Amino acid sequence: MALLPILTAPDPRLKKKSLPVEAVDDGVRQLMDDMLETMYDAPGIGLAAPQVGVLKRVIVLDIDREEAKTGPLFMANPEIIEASDEDASYEEGCLSVPEHYSDVVRPAKVTVRYLDRDGKSQELACEGLLSTCVQHEIDHLDGILFIDHISALKRNIILRKLLKARKEKERDEVEGKPAASAKDPEHAL
Ligand code: GNR
Ligand code: NI
């Protein structure tokens, strides 16, 4: 198991379309396990391979809800095969868009078909947070971030702030200051 660095926007790799895996082999299982460990450490409720710089159609999720304990879920080549006409709005965040949140409207319910960690084809009906999260992760595989679903004005404000934060971080590193982390109590949200 290993923790993988998470890419943040703007990064050209987050805008690329990922390729399907040919089979769920030991290499893909290793990637899934490393992604799950990275997701729990972040912490997050989902993670897509391109967020760790791997352009493969692989996602992991664990929405960790007591009522409907589903996870962890490992999905290769996930596809939405059915989506409800009814929409739902949910306040989304993303580990690749740190510290920014926006309401995003998506189909309320989706059915996803995927290969599980054993390479077996599965179908899962999703609603609520799981539906939001699975659609958010599949978007990553197509180079789409949640900020691509909001107004260009809001998106550009967020992207400019992320660039500014990155430049300040790089400058601090050159000056030998320790990295500020959202995990430090003083930087907690
Ligand atoms: O941890 C995450 N929380 C979240 C909250 C609302 C909607 C989507 C998400 S996914 C996000 C982790 C992430 O960036 N996955 O790609
Ligand atoms: Ni995300």
Side-chain angles (χ1 to χ4, degrees), residues 32-44:
M32 288 170 161
D33 293 346
D34 289 346
M35 284 171 58
L36 192 74
E37 192 186 359
T38 301
M39 184 193 85
Y40 285 145
D41 180 72

Side-chain angles (χ1 to χ4, degrees), residues 44-47 51 90-95 132-133 136-137 140:
I45 57 172
L47 192 69
Q51 293 181 276
Y90 203 93
E91 186 176 60
E92 298 196 18
C94 181
L95 295 171
T132 294
C133 193
H136 174 118
E137 301 314 334
H140 276 298

